[in-house]
Amino acid sequence: MGFSINDGSIKCNYVPRDQRSKETIQKLKAAVRQVDEVILATDPDREGETIAWHLKEVLGLRDPRRVVYTEITASAVNQAITNSRKLDFNLIGAGLCRDCLDKLVGYKGSPLVWALNNGAKSVGRVQSATLHLICQREREIQVFIPQDYWNVWVDYTEGFRAFYNGAADSRQEVQQQEAETYDDAGDNTKQALESKRVLSEAEATRLVEQARQHPHKIIQVEGKTITLKKRNYVQLTKDHLQPTALGLEVDAFLQKALPDLLEAQFTAKMEDALDAIALGKLGWQQYLSGWNQDYFVPALSKAKTLVAGASSATTFVERKFDVSKTHCPQCNSLMSKIPSSKVKKKYFLKCTSGCENAVLFWSDYSKSWEPPHSKESATQQKPPFKITSHPCPVCKKPLEEYIYTKGGQQKAMLRCSDPQSRQDNKHKDVAYFNTASCWWSPKFGELELAK
């Protein structure tokens, strides 16, 4: 999960997501070495404050200045710099707590829907609550009985519209919220509604005739039928979000398995707790460990005994994974292959025998399965580039030796050490490749290897 909970204490372990992330971090570190001061100007909310903290940690910044502004103008930026502050660790705590909450619900709750064996992939703290709202609305649509209705109105050349009221008909009148419409010509700040939908063509015809008796010019008479049909499949249409059949099935299961997690009030209470953490009124580690121990662990335990979807099973069914030939470094059990579209090999290895954070990823460089590199081990690795004594043939700044991997082999090249200069067209050909005797560039020729 990227963090662990032990005796009320939370320990987070963040690592670069992939090779591209590692390269981005190295570029940022190179930029930091070229300046005297770093100012962090991420978004002003708790997520932005947490991002600023991540930058501080990964770049090794001792005491960075934090600025906040809501518009990118010279005056706003200068004023923000003048009023810079230190990082707000209450906001950071709220951001870390939200991140851990989402991971806790996702990683621990998702196996519940895997047991449905219907292709369901995940449970989410916000995702599942949002799906529940959409499914609720869809079920209301499905049981709604469609009716035709008519509106009669007059459009004036001055640019406004006035509706004719239909006769009250309690036998056929639709629900008040659906049936009534504001008069565009009236005072819409009042509570009184000024028009009604008419449920019979005869009544609509009567209102049209009534309109003709007044000094209006009838330009056109339009009839309109509104029919709300139940949807068989969920899709994102032009103006509607609809759940899929799978979404409806997952929501129906979660209403039995984790009903509290789907309720808006329950989610709102968690958001209130995060706000209290951001204000320094509540410790984030205390809240997260308490929420997990008092609510989530018992809720998961109860959920695993419930009926899993249409299979009518009365016990929790574990998802089956293909077993690899690689042994877990902690318990020596064979590790499972976990499908993932985010890694090149399309799966990674994880111990499903109960070991915490026992995962391995394939390395094309070592041709073996390796654990995620910790912060300490990453600092011991050879950096991907180093500054040389050779000048750039375009701007005369020093060239850097950049180490990269291609086809599973480690290679080296020389390029300009200035990241901004490398973006212009003059530098696009500044690339020296390593040969047996020298550095060679297709445009600039040879450089002697450093002795």
Side-chain angles (χ1 to χ4, degrees), residues 11 15 30 182 205 209 300 333 420:
K11 182 179 180 181
V15 296
Y182 283 106
T205 302
E209 291 303 321
L300 281 178
S333 300
Q420 294 183 345

Side-chain angles (χ1 to χ4, degrees), residues 19 23 344 364-367 402-413 433:
Q19 183 60 34
E23 293 177 359
K344 186 176 181 181
D364 284 331
Y365 177 68
S366 65
K367 301 297 181 183
Y402 177 68
I403 308 297
Y404 62 99
T405 302
K406 184 176 181 181
Q409 296 183 348
Q410 193 175 70
K411 299 179 180 294
M413 63 176 288
F433 301 96

Side-chain angles (χ1 to χ4, degrees), residues 28 71 87 126 203 217 219 241 271 289 332 340 424 439 445:
L28 289 173
E71 60 181 50
L87 288 173
V126 178
E203 177 67 10
K217 181 179 180 181
I219 299 177
L241 268 178
E271 292 299 324
S289 58
N332 207 37
S340 174
D424 61 43
W439 294 102

